[in-house]
Amino acid sequence: MNGMVNWKNVNANRLATLNRNQKLLDILLGKRNTVQKGQRDLFIRSDNRIDEIGLYQAPAKKATGKVTDEILDKINFKRFDGTETTTSFIFDGVEYLHKDIPAISLDKCLKPKAENNAIVFQSGNYYQFADEMGKTHILTCSNGRMTQPLSDTRRGVRDDTSFEIGHFWNIMSGNGTYIGLYYSDEMQRRLLNDVGITEGFFSVQVGDRKQEYFYSNGNAGVSVPMERYNSTYYTFMERNDFVFEDFKPGDVFLVGGKEYVLSEDKKLDIPYGADIFDVKEPPRKRA
């Protein structure tokens, strides 16, 4: 029987091979079907560390949620680790459409009021302001700035007056040296008076930024930085020979609406805090 093919063994081997191939095919087809049914699948994921086995699953469809007060605060004060698309905000897998954002209730807004001639806008608060016509404008204090609420702009509401008010306080809390280039004296007085700031020393704080000024009715502008007030006061008090060289003892000066008489050594006893920019001089002597 040597040299003869044992067909029985050959057929058995072929059948075993076919069975193994079929089982492998069944496994592959079964795996493909589970993916088509939305079940989880294995894949090799490469990251910055090592290759590891991970699980892949198609992302769940985002549910659309109602924009509550809590969500409004997250939007306006950036208290979230979410994302924004061109039409919505997404927090924790829930989508909040821009078009569904409601207006901010005035009940949530503070009316700013200075205390001891100091105005403070704290981060995380809403503030309401009234313009000359009595219309209310809402601002948020967030990240050290006064701005129109993001929730308003995203729902398509743009308010130029809100921007103007917020820009004023942002400048004043930083460096208001050139505030007169942007706001007239009349506008400055109205914005300051509306929050209860009156003549004399005052301060403005937005978030952690704070600056001090002197509210003047003189020719140096309304909001005079403290550095300028102090240097001018020093000139009046210490360099009187230069300031009053064209005047004689006994001359009367009107400073901040009060009379001061020039002494024999040519000095004016002006108290610190007087409006030294609001001065009416007597006639100068002729050479």
Side-chain angles (χ1 to χ4, degrees):
M1 298 295 291
N2 291 338
M4 295 184 65
V5 176
N6 188 335
W7 292 104
K8 183 177 181 180
N9 291 337
V10 170
N11 289 335
N13 290 336
R14 286 178 176 176
L15 182 60
T17 300
L18 288 173
N19 287 337
R20 285 196 301 271
N21 290 342
Q22 184 63 49
K23 288 180 180 179
L24 179 60
L25 183 60
D26 289 342
I27 291 173
L28 293 174
L29 289 175
K31 185 176 182 180
R32 181 178 301 169
N33 288 338
T34 60
V35 173
Q36 291 174 348
K37 293 177 182 179
Q39 298 179 2
R40 293 187 297 182
D41 186 22
L42 297 178
F43 76 107
I44 301 298
R45 182 179 64 199
S46 178
D47 58 18
N48 294 331
R49 297 168 297 172
I50 58 173
D51 289 342
E52 59 186 36
I53 298 296
L55 295 176
Y56 170 80
Q57 188 174 21
K61 184 178 180 181
K62 296 182 292 294
T64 300
K66 178 183 178 182
V67 182
T68 62
D69 284 350
E70 180 183 1
I71 295 300
L72 276 178
D73 291 347
K74 287 184 177 182
I75 292 172
N76 291 314
F77 304 122
K78 299 178 176 59
R79 298 173 178 167
F80 66 90
D81 183 18
T83 58
E84 184 182 10
T85 71
T86 56
T87 58
S88 65
F89 292 95
I90 301 172
F91 309 129
D92 300 324
V94 181
E95 185 176 37
Y96 302 90
L97 300 177
H98 291 164
K99 67 180 183 65
D100 293 334
I101 297 177
I104 297 169
S105 171
L106 289 181
D107 293 338
K108 293 173 63 68
C109 303
L110 301 176
K111 291 183 178 180
K113 185 66 176 177
E115 294 185 8
N116 299 319
N117 241 21
I119 185 67
V120 178
F121 298 102
Q122 296 180 335
S123 293
N125 286 332
Y126 298 95
Y127 293 93
Q128 57 176 299
F129 300 83
D131 61 21
E132 294 174 296
M133 304 301 294
K135 181 180 178 180
T136 300
H137 304 269
I138 295 175
L139 293 173
T140 59
C141 183
S142 179
N143 293 331
R145 295 188 63 79
M146 296 287 285
T147 61
Q148 185 181 0
L150 184 62
S151 61
D152 279 356
T153 59
R154 288 299 186 266
R155 68 188 181 92
V157 177
R158 300 280 179 175
D159 188 341
D160 291 339
T161 302
S162 289
F163 172 81
E164 188 177 57
I165 295 172
H167 190 52
F168 173 79
W169 295 118
N170 291 334
I171 293 177
M172 291 292 286
S173 66
N175 183 354
T177 301
Y178 303 106
I179 191 70
L181 296 177
Y182 307 97
Y183 297 86
S184 67
D185 288 354
E186 180 182 3
M187 175 64 79
Q188 291 180 57
R189 288 191 178 94
R190 188 179 70 78
L191 290 172
L192 293 173
N193 295 345
D194 282 351
V195 299
I197 290 177
T198 58
E199 290 84 352
F201 297 118
F202 72 96
S203 65
V204 175
Q205 181 174 342
V206 176
D208 294 330
R209 299 191 311 166
K210 179 180 178 181
Q211 288 295 335
E212 297 181 333
Y213 300 89
F214 184 85
Y215 186 139
S216 172
N217 289 310
N219 56 12
V222 175
S223 307
V224 181
M226 280 297 298
E227 294 83 358
R228 183 176 180 184
Y229 181 92
N230 288 333
S231 64
T232 304
Y233 186 78
Y234 169 82
T235 300
F236 265 104
M237 302 305 292
E238 302 296 332
R239 300 191 60 192
N240 49 74
D241 56 333
F242 169 76
V243 175
F244 302 117
E245 63 178 350
D246 291 336
F247 302 94
K248 60 184 180 180
D251 283 346
V252 178
F253 290 77
L254 204 61
V255 180
K258 296 183 179 180
E259 292 185 348
Y260 296 90
V261 179
L262 192 63
S263 66
E264 290 295 329
D265 56 355
K266 290 193 173 181
K267 289 185 179 180
L268 288 179
D269 188 17
I270 303 174
Y272 185 73
D275 193 348
I276 52 179
F277 304 101
D278 180 16
V279 178
K280 292 182 174 58
E281 301 174 345
R284 293 175 180 266
K285 69 179 181 180
R286 295 181 179 179

